[in-house]
Amino acid sequence: MRILIRGGTVVTATDMASADVLIEGERIQAIGTGFDDADTVIDATDRYVMPGGVDVHTHMELPLAGTFASDDFATGTAAAAWGGTTTIIDFAVQERGESLSAGLDRWLAKAAPKSHIDYGMHLIVREINEAILREMDAMIERGVPSFKLFMAYPGVNMVDDASIFRGLSRTADNGGLIMIHAENGGVIDVLVQRYLAAGKTAPVDHALTMPASMEGEATHRAIALAELARAPVYIAHLSSRDGLDAVREGRDRGVPVYAETCPQYLYLSLSDLDRPGFDGAKFVCSPPLRPADHQADLWRGLMTDDLQVVSTDHCPFDFKDQKALGKGDFSAIPNGLPGVEDRFTLLWDGGVGQGRISPMRFVELIATAPARMFGLAPRKGTLTPGSDADIVIFNPNTERTVSASSHHMRVDYSCYEGRRVRGVPEVVMQRGVVLVRDGHFYGKQGAGQFLRRSTFSPA
Ligand SMILES: [Zn+2]
């Protein structure tokens, strides 16, 4: 089966040119002109032809705060495909006292029968000991070379500095990558107790107990530990100027520190948490939304490569029945936002549409850099002969309105309700198979493959 995508502008992280893309089976056969024999021709005139998005931070059906993230691997990956994302990396969670492999097996069992798109796994590691350190090597053998450690949530996920240092030292040897949730959890817990004791229980108070300075502090500390361990480190969901300053300072010093931000930190702010009634709960996530003046700094970080990746931290909860668990107590609001479907178009609209970044930089942020850093290149994240035919044909001229009434994520609200955006992924393909075309979905549950990833490479 040969498919020809004809007449579009092919965009990679390094080039942009009018060219046709010839697909043979699951892979890209050639990019160029003058191909004539194909079974199917897809017209891409006036469209961009780009690699499918790679979202390295999602939480499908994550158990949290007595409930589960509302998207499972079926609905969440379908929504991702609708939005132009063809690969996710989700987080398997190790329960305390459990082996890493048991946690991984549980997550793979959830994903395999349901996922519409290809997926990899990271591991959330909740304790460090000799056995766990040895098992990290075994996880790398199984294609899971990245491990998330938390500096926040004492008693739940937080590990101490000694554990982080031991984890980093192990990855310095085995080629893995430590990802950090960088907020000072001890201090935040004290503030939470103070706020609740003073009767400050509204959604906005959630954010006020997690000041940006404590993200900056933890980010700085994580980088110092990585520098000592001579290991790379990846700062997850960086939300603030304070965090970014720490990353930039580390990079300027030559430390291999990398960081992602998420659309919510580029588009939403503290004032959304202060919406009337309980509406602010729709915007409760961790790290929290910051005052709006942080946004320009984060955009600049994307422009200057102090930030290398845009992912979503997709972790949706219904407003009506799930966010409502925290009425009268912000600390009981399930933390997390929907976003896996919106990332591609939001970053295009605010990035390329506003003249901040080029289409090539867009592709680098949305697909190429995450694929390379997380061991998926060159199979994913770019368009080149031999790579998977994961392709988005993007129409930059169609305007649409983001809304819960038209999105495909299984959640009853949108953080961007009513926002006008320009650009729509009209055709989305994975390994040569059309998943989405002109408003119709052709994906199949269970068609997504588990991606065994190789060890870390610098972006
Ligand atoms: Zn997360």
PDB file of all heavy atoms in Angstrom, residues 50-56 83-87 263 302 308-312 342-348 357 359-371 381 392:
ATOM      1  N   MET A  50       3.303  17.886   8.634  1.00  0.00           N
ATOM      2  CA  MET A  50       4.215  17.894   9.778  1.00  0.00           C
ATOM      3  C   MET A  50       4.215  16.529  10.466  1.00  0.00           C
ATOM      4  O   MET A  50       3.274  15.752  10.319  1.00  0.00           O
ATOM      5  CB  MET A  50       3.758  18.973  10.778  1.00  0.00           C
ATOM      6  CG  MET A  50       3.763  20.370  10.180  1.00  0.00           C
ATOM      7  SD  MET A  50       3.512  21.679  11.412  1.00  0.00           S
ATOM      8  CE  MET A  50       1.729  21.734  11.490  1.00  0.00           C
ATOM      9  N   PRO A  51       5.260  16.254  11.254  1.00  0.00           N
ATOM     10  CA  PRO A  51       5.227  15.005  12.028  1.00  0.00           C
ATOM     11  C   PRO A  51       4.124  15.053  13.075  1.00  0.00           C
ATOM     12  O   PRO A  51       3.809  16.127  13.605  1.00  0.00           O
ATOM     13  CB  PRO A  51       6.614  14.951  12.687  1.00  0.00           C
ATOM     14  CG  PRO A  51       7.190  16.310  12.575  1.00  0.00           C
ATOM     15  CD  PRO A  51       6.506  17.005  11.432  1.00  0.00           C
ATOM     16  N   GLY A  52       3.539  13.901  13.388  1.00  0.00           N
ATOM     17  CA  GLY A  52       2.542  13.833  14.451  1.00  0.00           C
ATOM     18  C   GLY A  52       3.143  14.297  15.765  1.00  0.00           C
ATOM     19  O   GLY A  52       4.326  14.091  16.033  1.00  0.00           O
ATOM     20  N   GLY A  53       2.320  14.931  16.581  1.00  0.00           N
ATOM     21  CA  GLY A  53       2.791  15.459  17.858  1.00  0.00           C
ATOM     22  C   GLY A  53       3.191  14.351  18.829  1.00  0.00           C
ATOM     23  O   GLY A  53       2.638  13.253  18.809  1.00  0.00           O
ATOM     24  N   VAL A  54       4.174  14.666  19.660  1.00  0.00           N
ATOM     25  CA  VAL A  54       4.648  13.746  20.696  1.00  0.00           C
ATOM     26  C   VAL A  54       4.448  14.450  22.043  1.00  0.00           C
ATOM     27  O   VAL A  54       5.099  15.444  22.334  1.00  0.00           O
ATOM     28  CB  VAL A  54       6.146  13.402  20.488  1.00  0.00           C
ATOM     29  CG1 VAL A  54       6.654  12.497  21.607  1.00  0.00           C
ATOM     30  CG2 VAL A  54       6.362  12.753  19.117  1.00  0.00           C
ATOM     31  N   ASP A  55       3.505  13.943  22.822  1.00  0.00           N
ATOM     32  CA  ASP A  55       3.194  14.547  24.129  1.00  0.00           C
ATOM     33  C   ASP A  55       3.769  13.639  25.206  1.00  0.00           C
ATOM     34  O   ASP A  55       3.252  12.550  25.457  1.00  0.00           O
ATOM     35  CB  ASP A  55       1.670  14.684  24.283  1.00  0.00           C
ATOM     36  CG  ASP A  55       1.276  15.459  25.543  1.00  0.00           C
ATOM     37  OD1 ASP A  55       2.129  15.642  26.434  1.00  0.00           O
ATOM     38  OD2 ASP A  55       0.095  15.866  25.632  1.00  0.00           O
ATOM     39  N   VAL A  56       4.839  14.101  25.847  1.00  0.00           N
ATOM     40  CA  VAL A  56       5.576  13.229  26.770  1.00  0.00           C
ATOM     41  C   VAL A  56       5.082  13.326  28.205  1.00  0.00           C
ATOM     42  O   VAL A  56       5.750  12.868  29.138  1.00  0.00           O
ATOM     43  CB  VAL A  56       7.104  13.514  26.733  1.00  0.00           C
ATOM     44  CG1 VAL A  56       7.650  13.231  25.339  1.00  0.00           C
ATOM     45  CG2 VAL A  56       7.419  14.951  27.159  1.00  0.00           C
ATOM     46  N   GLY A  83      -6.454  15.954  18.000  1.00  0.00           N
ATOM     47  CA  GLY A  83      -5.713  17.206  18.145  1.00  0.00           C
ATOM     48  C   GLY A  83      -4.364  17.203  17.453  1.00  0.00           C
ATOM     49  O   GLY A  83      -3.625  18.187  17.550  1.00  0.00           O
ATOM     50  N   GLY A  84      -3.991  16.118  16.774  1.00  0.00           N
ATOM     51  CA  GLY A  84      -2.715  16.125  16.048  1.00  0.00           C
ATOM     52  C   GLY A  84      -1.567  15.459  16.788  1.00  0.00           C
ATOM     53  O   GLY A  84      -0.416  15.557  16.365  1.00  0.00           O
ATOM     54  N   THR A  85      -1.870  14.772  17.880  1.00  0.00           N
ATOM     55  CA  THR A  85      -0.825  14.076  18.631  1.00  0.00           C
ATOM     56  C   THR A  85      -0.944  12.582  18.386  1.00  0.00           C
ATOM     57  O   THR A  85      -2.009  11.994  18.591  1.00  0.00           O
ATOM     58  CB  THR A  85      -0.932  14.411  20.136  1.00  0.00           C
ATOM     59  OG1 THR A  85      -0.503  15.761  20.320  1.00  0.00           O
ATOM     60  CG2 THR A  85      -0.050  13.498  20.980  1.00  0.00           C
ATOM     61  N   THR A  86       0.159  11.962  17.963  1.00  0.00           N
ATOM     62  CA  THR A  86       0.130  10.539  17.601  1.00  0.00           C
ATOM     63  C   THR A  86       0.990   9.673  18.517  1.00  0.00           C
ATOM     64  O   THR A  86       1.030   8.458  18.342  1.00  0.00           O
ATOM     65  CB  THR A  86       0.611  10.355  16.146  1.00  0.00           C
ATOM     66  OG1 THR A  86       1.847  11.049  15.979  1.00  0.00           O
ATOM     67  CG2 THR A  86      -0.416  10.905  15.164  1.00  0.00           C
ATOM     68  N   THR A  87       1.670  10.291  19.449  1.00  0.00           N
ATOM     69  CA  THR A  87       2.430   9.531  20.448  1.00  0.00           C
ATOM     70  C   THR A  87       2.275  10.208  21.802  1.00  0.00           C
ATOM     71  O   THR A  87       2.405  11.430  21.905  1.00  0.00           O
ATOM     72  CB  THR A  87       3.942   9.512  20.098  1.00  0.00           C
ATOM     73  OG1 THR A  87       4.128   8.884  18.831  1.00  0.00           O
ATOM     74  CG2 THR A  87       4.730   8.747  21.146  1.00  0.00           C
ATOM     75  N   PRO A 263       0.728  24.233  27.886  1.00  0.00           N
ATOM     76  CA  PRO A 263      -0.110  25.326  27.390  1.00  0.00           C
ATOM     77  C   PRO A 263      -0.806  26.112  28.507  1.00  0.00           C
ATOM     78  O   PRO A 263      -0.967  27.331  28.393  1.00  0.00           O
ATOM     79  CB  PRO A 263      -1.139  24.609  26.508  1.00  0.00           C
ATOM     80  CG  PRO A 263      -0.412  23.389  26.017  1.00  0.00           C
ATOM     81  CD  PRO A 263       0.472  22.968  27.172  1.00  0.00           C
ATOM     82  N   LEU A 302      10.764  29.523  25.401  1.00  0.00           N
ATOM     83  CA  LEU A 302      10.572  28.649  24.237  1.00  0.00           C
ATOM     84  C   LEU A 302      11.311  29.193  23.025  1.00  0.00           C
ATOM     85  O   LEU A 302      11.836  28.448  22.205  1.00  0.00           O
ATOM     86  CB  LEU A 302       9.079  28.519  23.912  1.00  0.00           C
ATOM     87  CG  LEU A 302       8.220  27.793  24.955  1.00  0.00           C
ATOM     88  CD1 LEU A 302       6.740  27.888  24.591  1.00  0.00           C
ATOM     89  CD2 LEU A 302       8.641  26.333  25.087  1.00  0.00           C
ATOM     90  N   GLN A 308      12.647  23.376  26.171  1.00  0.00           N
ATOM     91  CA  GLN A 308      12.828  22.585  24.948  1.00  0.00           C
ATOM     92  C   GLN A 308      11.584  21.837  24.500  1.00  0.00           C
ATOM     93  O   GLN A 308      11.536  21.321  23.381  1.00  0.00           O
ATOM     94  CB  GLN A 308      13.948  21.543  25.155  1.00  0.00           C
ATOM     95  CG  GLN A 308      15.301  22.142  25.441  1.00  0.00           C
ATOM     96  CD  GLN A 308      15.424  22.578  26.888  1.00  0.00           C
ATOM     97  OE1 GLN A 308      14.915  21.929  27.783  1.00  0.00           O
ATOM     98  NE2 GLN A 308      16.058  23.707  27.106  1.00  0.00           N
ATOM     99  N   VAL A 309      10.595  21.729  25.388  1.00  0.00           N
ATOM    100  CA  VAL A 309       9.452  20.857  25.115  1.00  0.00           C
ATOM    101  C   VAL A 309       8.170  21.528  25.596  1.00  0.00           C
ATOM    102  O   VAL A 309       8.168  22.213  26.619  1.00  0.00           O
ATOM    103  CB  VAL A 309       9.633  19.496  25.855  1.00  0.00           C
ATOM    104  CG1 VAL A 309       8.380  18.630  25.733  1.00  0.00           C
ATOM    105  CG2 VAL A 309      10.856  18.738  25.323  1.00  0.00           C
ATOM    106  N   VAL A 310       7.090  21.344  24.856  1.00  0.00           N
ATOM    107  CA  VAL A 310       5.751  21.694  25.346  1.00  0.00           C
ATOM    108  C   VAL A 310       4.949  20.397  25.428  1.00  0.00           C
ATOM    109  O   VAL A 310       4.732  19.722  24.415  1.00  0.00           O
ATOM    110  CB  VAL A 310       5.035  22.704  24.431  1.00  0.00           C
ATOM    111  CG1 VAL A 310       3.611  22.949  24.925  1.00  0.00           C
ATOM    112  CG2 VAL A 310       5.812  24.023  24.388  1.00  0.00           C
ATOM    113  N   SER A 311       4.572  20.038  26.638  1.00  0.00           N
ATOM    114  CA  SER A 311       3.727  18.861  26.853  1.00  0.00           C
ATOM    115  C   SER A 311       2.472  19.330  27.581  1.00  0.00           C
ATOM    116  O   SER A 311       2.317  20.526  27.823  1.00  0.00           O
ATOM    117  CB  SER A 311       4.476  17.823  27.676  1.00  0.00           C
ATOM    118  OG  SER A 311       4.739  18.376  28.944  1.00  0.00           O
ATOM    119  N   THR A 312       1.576  18.401  27.926  1.00  0.00           N
ATOM    120  CA  THR A 312       0.300  18.894  28.492  1.00  0.00           C
ATOM    121  C   THR A 312       0.099  18.633  29.977  1.00  0.00           C
ATOM    122  O   THR A 312      -0.660  19.341  30.620  1.00  0.00           O
ATOM    123  CB  THR A 312      -0.904  18.253  27.776  1.00  0.00           C
ATOM    124  OG1 THR A 312      -0.830  16.834  27.933  1.00  0.00           O
ATOM    125  CG2 THR A 312      -0.923  18.643  26.315  1.00  0.00           C
ATOM    126  N   ASP A 342      -5.674  19.874  22.847  1.00  0.00           N
ATOM    127  CA  ASP A 342      -5.551  21.300  22.500  1.00  0.00           C
ATOM    128  C   ASP A 342      -4.123  21.762  22.238  1.00  0.00           C
ATOM    129  O   ASP A 342      -3.912  22.845  21.700  1.00  0.00           O
ATOM    130  CB  ASP A 342      -6.128  22.155  23.640  1.00  0.00           C
ATOM    131  CG  ASP A 342      -7.589  21.862  23.911  1.00  0.00           C
ATOM    132  OD1 ASP A 342      -8.326  21.586  22.953  1.00  0.00           O
ATOM    133  OD2 ASP A 342      -8.004  21.906  25.084  1.00  0.00           O
ATOM    134  N   ARG A 343      -3.139  20.960  22.638  1.00  0.00           N
ATOM    135  CA  ARG A 343      -1.748  21.426  22.633  1.00  0.00           C
ATOM    136  C   ARG A 343      -1.286  21.879  21.259  1.00  0.00           C
ATOM    137  O   ARG A 343      -0.709  22.959  21.102  1.00  0.00           O
ATOM    138  CB  ARG A 343      -0.854  20.277  23.128  1.00  0.00           C
ATOM    139  CG  ARG A 343       0.635  20.608  23.185  1.00  0.00           C
ATOM    140  CD  ARG A 343       1.440  19.363  23.581  1.00  0.00           C
ATOM    141  NE  ARG A 343       1.421  18.381  22.500  1.00  0.00           N
ATOM    142  CZ  ARG A 343       2.497  17.782  22.001  1.00  0.00           C
ATOM    143  NH1 ARG A 343       3.693  18.059  22.483  1.00  0.00           N
ATOM    144  NH2 ARG A 343       2.402  16.909  21.026  1.00  0.00           N
ATOM    145  N   PHE A 344      -1.522  21.059  20.267  1.00  0.00           N
ATOM    146  CA  PHE A 344      -0.979  21.310  18.930  1.00  0.00           C
ATOM    147  C   PHE A 344      -1.471  22.652  18.388  1.00  0.00           C
ATOM    148  O   PHE A 344      -0.677  23.522  18.004  1.00  0.00           O
ATOM    149  CB  PHE A 344      -1.423  20.152  18.014  1.00  0.00           C
ATOM    150  CG  PHE A 344      -0.588  19.948  16.785  1.00  0.00           C
ATOM    151  CD1 PHE A 344       0.424  19.003  16.757  1.00  0.00           C
ATOM    152  CD2 PHE A 344      -0.831  20.678  15.637  1.00  0.00           C
ATOM    153  CE1 PHE A 344       1.180  18.787  15.613  1.00  0.00           C
ATOM    154  CE2 PHE A 344      -0.081  20.469  14.486  1.00  0.00           C
ATOM    155  CZ  PHE A 344       0.925  19.518  14.481  1.00  0.00           C
ATOM    156  N   THR A 345      -2.787  22.832  18.387  1.00  0.00           N
ATOM    157  CA  THR A 345      -3.331  24.063  17.809  1.00  0.00           C
ATOM    158  C   THR A 345      -3.049  25.283  18.692  1.00  0.00           C
ATOM    159  O   THR A 345      -2.778  26.367  18.178  1.00  0.00           O
ATOM    160  CB  THR A 345      -4.843  23.917  17.549  1.00  0.00           C
ATOM    161  OG1 THR A 345      -5.029  22.868  16.585  1.00  0.00           O
ATOM    162  CG2 THR A 345      -5.428  25.197  16.994  1.00  0.00           C
ATOM    163  N   LEU A 346      -3.085  25.108  20.009  1.00  0.00           N
ATOM    164  CA  LEU A 346      -2.804  26.258  20.880  1.00  0.00           C
ATOM    165  C   LEU A 346      -1.385  26.772  20.674  1.00  0.00           C
ATOM    166  O   LEU A 346      -1.150  27.981  20.591  1.00  0.00           O
ATOM    167  CB  LEU A 346      -2.998  25.889  22.351  1.00  0.00           C
ATOM    168  CG  LEU A 346      -4.428  25.839  22.881  1.00  0.00           C
ATOM    169  CD1 LEU A 346      -4.417  25.357  24.336  1.00  0.00           C
ATOM    170  CD2 LEU A 346      -5.123  27.195  22.777  1.00  0.00           C
ATOM    171  N   LEU A 347      -0.420  25.846  20.603  1.00  0.00           N
ATOM    172  CA  LEU A 347       0.968  26.295  20.443  1.00  0.00           C
ATOM    173  C   LEU A 347       1.184  26.892  19.055  1.00  0.00           C
ATOM    174  O   LEU A 347       1.935  27.857  18.887  1.00  0.00           O
ATOM    175  CB  LEU A 347       1.955  25.149  20.690  1.00  0.00           C
ATOM    176  CG  LEU A 347       3.416  25.614  20.701  1.00  0.00           C
ATOM    177  CD1 LEU A 347       3.703  26.502  21.904  1.00  0.00           C
ATOM    178  CD2 LEU A 347       4.390  24.445  20.651  1.00  0.00           C
ATOM    179  N   TRP A 348       0.492  26.343  18.072  1.00  0.00           N
ATOM    180  CA  TRP A 348       0.584  26.930  16.736  1.00  0.00           C
ATOM    181  C   TRP A 348       0.018  28.348  16.741  1.00  0.00           C
ATOM    182  O   TRP A 348       0.660  29.297  16.279  1.00  0.00           O
ATOM    183  CB  TRP A 348      -0.160  26.063  15.712  1.00  0.00           C
ATOM    184  CG  TRP A 348      -0.116  26.669  14.347  1.00  0.00           C
ATOM    185  CD1 TRP A 348      -0.984  27.604  13.833  1.00  0.00           C
ATOM    186  CD2 TRP A 348       0.879  26.455  13.339  1.00  0.00           C
ATOM    187  NE1 TRP A 348      -0.591  27.962  12.566  1.00  0.00           N
ATOM    188  CE2 TRP A 348       0.544  27.278  12.242  1.00  0.00           C
ATOM    189  CE3 TRP A 348       2.011  25.635  13.258  1.00  0.00           C
ATOM    190  CZ2 TRP A 348       1.308  27.301  11.068  1.00  0.00           C
ATOM    191  CZ3 TRP A 348       2.767  25.671  12.091  1.00  0.00           C
ATOM    192  CH2 TRP A 348       2.415  26.497  11.023  1.00  0.00           C
ATOM    193  N   ILE A 357       7.418  32.198  17.109  1.00  0.00           N
ATOM    194  CA  ILE A 357       8.301  31.106  16.676  1.00  0.00           C
ATOM    195  C   ILE A 357       7.994  30.755  15.221  1.00  0.00           C
ATOM    196  O   ILE A 357       6.907  31.040  14.717  1.00  0.00           O
ATOM    197  CB  ILE A 357       8.145  29.844  17.560  1.00  0.00           C
ATOM    198  CG1 ILE A 357       6.691  29.356  17.584  1.00  0.00           C
ATOM    199  CG2 ILE A 357       8.664  30.075  18.968  1.00  0.00           C
ATOM    200  CD1 ILE A 357       6.486  28.029  18.321  1.00  0.00           C
ATOM    201  N   PRO A 359       7.473  27.965  12.025  1.00  0.00           N
ATOM    202  CA  PRO A 359       6.880  26.626  11.935  1.00  0.00           C
ATOM    203  C   PRO A 359       7.892  25.522  12.273  1.00  0.00           C
ATOM    204  O   PRO A 359       7.535  24.500  12.846  1.00  0.00           O
ATOM    205  CB  PRO A 359       6.437  26.541  10.464  1.00  0.00           C
ATOM    206  CG  PRO A 359       6.174  27.950  10.071  1.00  0.00           C
ATOM    207  CD  PRO A 359       7.216  28.762  10.806  1.00  0.00           C
ATOM    208  N   MET A 360       9.159  25.741  11.947  1.00  0.00           N
ATOM    209  CA  MET A 360      10.177  24.724  12.243  1.00  0.00           C
ATOM    210  C   MET A 360      10.415  24.594  13.751  1.00  0.00           C
ATOM    211  O   MET A 360      10.533  23.493  14.280  1.00  0.00           O
ATOM    212  CB  MET A 360      11.478  25.071  11.515  1.00  0.00           C
ATOM    213  CG  MET A 360      11.337  24.944  10.005  1.00  0.00           C
ATOM    214  SD  MET A 360      12.789  25.507   9.101  1.00  0.00           S
ATOM    215  CE  MET A 360      12.585  27.280   9.211  1.00  0.00           C
ATOM    216  N   ARG A 361      10.475  25.724  14.426  1.00  0.00           N
ATOM    217  CA  ARG A 361      10.617  25.674  15.883  1.00  0.00           C
ATOM    218  C   ARG A 361       9.376  25.034  16.522  1.00  0.00           C
ATOM    219  O   ARG A 361       9.481  24.292  17.501  1.00  0.00           O
ATOM    220  CB  ARG A 361      10.846  27.086  16.434  1.00  0.00           C
ATOM    221  CG  ARG A 361      10.949  27.173  17.947  1.00  0.00           C
ATOM    222  CD  ARG A 361      12.138  26.397  18.506  1.00  0.00           C
ATOM    223  NE  ARG A 361      12.265  26.577  19.955  1.00  0.00           N
ATOM    224  CZ  ARG A 361      12.958  25.765  20.746  1.00  0.00           C
ATOM    225  NH1 ARG A 361      13.614  24.739  20.233  1.00  0.00           N
ATOM    226  NH2 ARG A 361      13.030  25.981  22.039  1.00  0.00           N
ATOM    227  N   PHE A 362       8.215  25.302  15.928  1.00  0.00           N
ATOM    228  CA  PHE A 362       6.982  24.668  16.409  1.00  0.00           C
ATOM    229  C   PHE A 362       7.118  23.138  16.349  1.00  0.00           C
ATOM    230  O   PHE A 362       6.831  22.432  17.317  1.00  0.00           O
ATOM    231  CB  PHE A 362       5.795  25.138  15.559  1.00  0.00           C
ATOM    232  CG  PHE A 362       4.538  24.342  15.774  1.00  0.00           C
ATOM    233  CD1 PHE A 362       3.716  24.597  16.863  1.00  0.00           C
ATOM    234  CD2 PHE A 362       4.183  23.323  14.893  1.00  0.00           C
ATOM    235  CE1 PHE A 362       2.566  23.845  17.077  1.00  0.00           C
ATOM    236  CE2 PHE A 362       3.034  22.571  15.096  1.00  0.00           C
ATOM    237  CZ  PHE A 362       2.225  22.835  16.191  1.00  0.00           C
ATOM    238  N   VAL A 363       7.565  22.635  15.212  1.00  0.00           N
ATOM    239  CA  VAL A 363       7.714  21.180  15.052  1.00  0.00           C
ATOM    240  C   VAL A 363       8.733  20.631  16.051  1.00  0.00           C
ATOM    241  O   VAL A 363       8.542  19.564  16.639  1.00  0.00           O
ATOM    242  CB  VAL A 363       8.115  20.834  13.602  1.00  0.00           C
ATOM    243  CG1 VAL A 363       8.603  19.395  13.488  1.00  0.00           C
ATOM    244  CG2 VAL A 363       6.944  21.072  12.660  1.00  0.00           C
ATOM    245  N   GLU A 364       9.796  21.393  16.264  1.00  0.00           N
ATOM    246  CA  GLU A 364      10.811  20.949  17.215  1.00  0.00           C
ATOM    247  C   GLU A 364      10.217  20.815  18.620  1.00  0.00           C
ATOM    248  O   GLU A 364      10.444  19.823  19.320  1.00  0.00           O
ATOM    249  CB  GLU A 364      11.976  21.946  17.220  1.00  0.00           C
ATOM    250  CG  GLU A 364      13.134  21.518  18.097  1.00  0.00           C
ATOM    251  CD  GLU A 364      14.382  22.340  17.834  1.00  0.00           C
ATOM    252  OE1 GLU A 364      14.261  23.561  17.616  1.00  0.00           O
ATOM    253  OE2 GLU A 364      15.480  21.757  17.847  1.00  0.00           O
ATOM    254  N   LEU A 365       9.424  21.810  19.030  1.00  0.00           N
ATOM    255  CA  LEU A 365       8.870  21.805  20.389  1.00  0.00           C
ATOM    256  C   LEU A 365       7.787  20.750  20.583  1.00  0.00           C
ATOM    257  O   LEU A 365       7.660  20.151  21.644  1.00  0.00           O
ATOM    258  CB  LEU A 365       8.259  23.179  20.702  1.00  0.00           C
ATOM    259  CG  LEU A 365       9.239  24.336  20.878  1.00  0.00           C
ATOM    260  CD1 LEU A 365       8.486  25.669  20.826  1.00  0.00           C
ATOM    261  CD2 LEU A 365       9.987  24.203  22.213  1.00  0.00           C
ATOM    262  N   ILE A 366       6.999  20.528  19.527  1.00  0.00           N
ATOM    263  CA  ILE A 366       5.795  19.705  19.656  1.00  0.00           C
ATOM    264  C   ILE A 366       6.094  18.224  19.364  1.00  0.00           C
ATOM    265  O   ILE A 366       5.339  17.352  19.782  1.00  0.00           O
ATOM    266  CB  ILE A 366       4.706  20.249  18.678  1.00  0.00           C
ATOM    267  CG1 ILE A 366       3.301  19.998  19.223  1.00  0.00           C
ATOM    268  CG2 ILE A 366       4.815  19.677  17.276  1.00  0.00           C
ATOM    269  CD1 ILE A 366       2.745  21.130  19.999  1.00  0.00           C
ATOM    270  N   ALA A 367       7.209  17.960  18.676  1.00  0.00           N
ATOM    271  CA  ALA A 367       7.454  16.580  18.233  1.00  0.00           C
ATOM    272  C   ALA A 367       8.933  16.173  18.282  1.00  0.00           C
ATOM    273  O   ALA A 367       9.276  15.151  18.877  1.00  0.00           O
ATOM    274  CB  ALA A 367       6.926  16.392  16.802  1.00  0.00           C
ATOM    275  N   THR A 368       9.797  16.944  17.654  1.00  0.00           N
ATOM    276  CA  THR A 368      11.163  16.467  17.422  1.00  0.00           C
ATOM    277  C   THR A 368      11.998  16.397  18.706  1.00  0.00           C
ATOM    278  O   THR A 368      12.628  15.364  18.978  1.00  0.00           O
ATOM    279  CB  THR A 368      11.871  17.361  16.391  1.00  0.00           C
ATOM    280  OG1 THR A 368      10.986  17.588  15.293  1.00  0.00           O
ATOM    281  CG2 THR A 368      13.140  16.699  15.882  1.00  0.00           C
ATOM    282  N   ALA A 369      12.003  17.480  19.466  1.00  0.00           N
ATOM    283  CA  ALA A 369      12.824  17.483  20.692  1.00  0.00           C
ATOM    284  C   ALA A 369      12.320  16.453  21.704  1.00  0.00           C
ATOM    285  O   ALA A 369      13.126  15.685  22.248  1.00  0.00           O
ATOM    286  CB  ALA A 369      12.874  18.886  21.301  1.00  0.00           C
ATOM    287  N   PRO A 370      11.003  16.379  21.964  1.00  0.00           N
ATOM    288  CA  PRO A 370      10.561  15.344  22.906  1.00  0.00           C
ATOM    289  C   PRO A 370      10.872  13.932  22.425  1.00  0.00           C
ATOM    290  O   PRO A 370      11.252  13.070  23.225  1.00  0.00           O
ATOM    291  CB  PRO A 370       9.052  15.586  23.051  1.00  0.00           C
ATOM    292  CG  PRO A 370       8.663  16.529  21.960  1.00  0.00           C
ATOM    293  CD  PRO A 370       9.902  17.296  21.610  1.00  0.00           C
ATOM    294  N   ALA A 371      10.737  13.679  21.124  1.00  0.00           N
ATOM    295  CA  ALA A 371      11.043  12.331  20.616  1.00  0.00           C
ATOM    296  C   ALA A 371      12.521  12.007  20.817  1.00  0.00           C
ATOM    297  O   ALA A 371      12.884  10.900  21.228  1.00  0.00           O
ATOM    298  CB  ALA A 371      10.675  12.219  19.135  1.00  0.00           C
ATOM    299  N   GLY A 381       8.689  11.776  15.655  1.00  0.00           N
ATOM    300  CA  GLY A 381       9.053  13.172  15.874  1.00  0.00           C
ATOM    301  C   GLY A 381       9.621  13.889  14.670  1.00  0.00           C
ATOM    302  O   GLY A 381       9.894  15.085  14.749  1.00  0.00           O
ATOM    303  N   VAL A 392       0.687  14.797  10.312  1.00  0.00           N
ATOM    304  CA  VAL A 392      -0.441  15.712  10.446  1.00  0.00           C
ATOM    305  C   VAL A 392      -0.472  16.611   9.220  1.00  0.00           C
ATOM    306  O   VAL A 392       0.548  17.211   8.858  1.00  0.00           O
ATOM    307  CB  VAL A 392      -0.303  16.585  11.713  1.00  0.00           C
ATOM    308  CG1 VAL A 392      -1.382  17.659  11.753  1.00  0.00           C
ATOM    309  CG2 VAL A 392      -0.385  15.723  12.969  1.00  0.00           C
TER     310      VAL A 392
END
